[in-house]
Amino acid sequence: MSTFTASGAKNPKKQEYFERLRNLIGSHSQIMIVEADNVGSKQMADVRFALRDRATILMGKNTMIKTCLRAMVEERPELESLIELVKDNIGMVFCNEEPAAIRKTILEFRVPAPAKQGSLAPCDVYIPPGPTGMDPGQTSFFQQLGIPTKIVKGQIEIQNEVHIVSVGERVSASQAVLLSKLSINPFSYGLKTVSVWDNGSSYPASVLDISQEDVETALKTAINLVAQTSLGALYPTKCSAPHSILNAFRQCAGVGIATDFIFPQIEALKKALDNPDAFAPTAAVAAPAAAAPAATAAAESEAESEDDDMGFGLFD
């Protein structure tokens, strides 16, 4: 506690921030590291309100966050891995709930945004084919970008879909102006989860995209591969044991059927093979029972047909 007091003795707000960060780390088992580039205050307020009673968002300068964490490393060494995640324009989302559910709520508040000159494209941008609503005098924008067009009914029309901006590239002035004239807002901004810290271990946010079904499918595939390898190598394992036992039973059953060696598990099968007629009455009774409704329906149909042909025509 004295470390925090010394660090922020001349700044009560900094001391308050340190205490809050310390309490949040102590009361939450998981921390989501989120990027906050191009996120407005209104957007941030909406996210905070949506996560009320579920998670707490804490923003701040990286130097302040690192100072607080380093002061806590002595009593909690696992925080050393959290310090490494504090870089760029980030914030922390403290939660005890599943991070995937929290991230889903955060993603609901992404807002569309125009492509500004000089900004890095977070995704590929395409312009769809068709009329643009622009007059022929503005073809220079398309010519500078090498976009093939034609004039149809007094307006410029794009002939084919055009890949105008690639992910990671900076948007040029011509690209920004053209997208603006076409009323295309290709980007969206919001809090972006980059990693998750969980009780001393960290993993990238892409892990949150893995569902329970994906884990089960991967596990079943791995078990099948181990079983196949074990059977092929004649090396018994827990995965191959059920298959080995089943194969052994089949071989024993084959020996029992071919000889007079009988054991309880194949008694019913042996009796059926030795005396198939004993099981025939059951099938014979079932067949007439199933055929009876069909025969009755056929008789009724035949009777109706005879009634219709008794010589009393409609126009007699």
Side-chain angles (χ1 to χ4, degrees):
M1 190 70 175
S2 59
T3 304
F4 289 107
T5 304
S7 300
K10 297 182 180 179
N11 192 332
K13 289 186 177 181
K14 182 182 293 187
Q15 179 64 31
E16 182 182 353
Y17 181 89
F18 286 176
E19 290 298 332
R20 186 184 182 197
L21 178 55
R22 181 187 180 94
N23 292 333
L24 286 172
I25 292 176
S27 58
H28 294 82
S29 59
Q30 298 173 107
I31 303 174
M32 299 170 59
I33 307 300
V34 295
E35 288 182 352
D37 295 333
N38 302 301
V39 178
S41 57
K42 175 65 167 59
Q43 187 178 3
M44 180 66 75
D46 292 339
V47 175
R48 290 182 187 275
F49 182 81
L51 294 178
R52 182 175 297 178
D53 300 328
R54 297 175 58 200
T56 302
I57 301 177
L58 181 66
M59 308 298 293
K61 294 182 178 180
N62 291 352
T63 53
M64 291 179 59
I65 296 175
K66 288 182 177 180
T67 299
C68 179
L69 294 177
R70 289 193 181 102
M72 298 174 61
V73 165
E74 185 175 352
E75 58 182 281
R76 296 189 60 178
E78 68 272 15
L79 292 177
E80 191 69 42
S81 59
L82 180 58
I83 296 176
E84 298 175 0
L85 302 177
V86 181
K87 54 186 176 181
D88 301 326
N89 184 22
I90 62 96
M92 294 182 173
V93 180
F94 297 83
C95 61
N96 290 316
E97 189 177 329
E98 281 295 328
I102 299 297
R103 187 183 67 158
K104 183 178 180 181
T105 300
I106 291 175
L107 290 176
E108 294 175 357
F109 292 89
R110 294 188 68 86
V111 296
K116 297 181 179 179
Q117 178 183 353
S119 61
L120 286 174
C123 61
D124 292 316
V125 181
Y126 296 86
I127 297 179
T132 62
M134 300 170 62
D135 61 82
Q138 304 184 59
T139 55
S140 59
F141 290 108
F142 299 93
Q143 292 174 353
Q144 291 178 7
L145 297 170
I147 300 175
T149 60
K150 61 181 178 180
I151 307 301
V152 179
K153 295 182 179 179
Q155 64 174 323
I156 301 173
E157 183 173 303
I158 299 175
Q159 299 181 14
N160 303 303
E161 184 180 60
V162 179
H163 184 194
I164 186 172
V165 183
S166 298
V167 60
E169 291 184 353
R170 292 198 178 275
V171 180
S172 67
S174 300
Q175 292 169 339
V177 172
L178 179 58
L179 291 170
S180 176
K181 286 181 176 293
L182 295 176
S183 300
I184 296 177
N185 293 330
F187 305 149
S188 61
Y189 295 112
L191 293 179
K192 178 183 177 182
T193 306
V194 293
S195 57
V196 180
W197 186 85
D198 187 351
N199 288 319
S201 61
S202 60
Y203 53 87
S206 57
V207 175
L208 300 178
D209 296 325
I210 302 175
S211 64
Q212 184 66 27
E213 291 74 16
D214 295 332
V215 175
E216 292 177 358
T217 300
L219 184 59
K220 290 177 181 177
T221 301
I223 292 174
N224 288 334
L225 290 174
V226 172
Q228 293 172 13
T229 303
S230 301
L231 291 172
L234 300 178
Y235 184 85
T237 62
K238 290 184 178 180
C239 296
S240 66
H243 302 281
S244 299
I245 294 172
L246 181 58
N247 290 336
F249 174 78
R250 287 174 178 170
Q251 293 177 3
C252 292
V255 172
I257 292 172
T259 64
D260 293 331
F261 176 74
I262 305 300
F263 52 94
Q265 287 78 7
I266 65 168
E267 284 183 359
L269 178 60
K270 184 68 174 176
K271 290 179 181 179
L273 294 174
D274 291 342
N275 190 14
D277 294 337
F279 297 88
T282 304
V285 171
T296 303
E300 292 177 355
S301 177
E302 183 178 353
E304 292 176 358
S305 178
E306 291 177 354
D307 291 341
D308 291 341
D309 296 333
M310 291 183 65
F312 299 100
L314 181 61
F315 299 102
D316 291 346

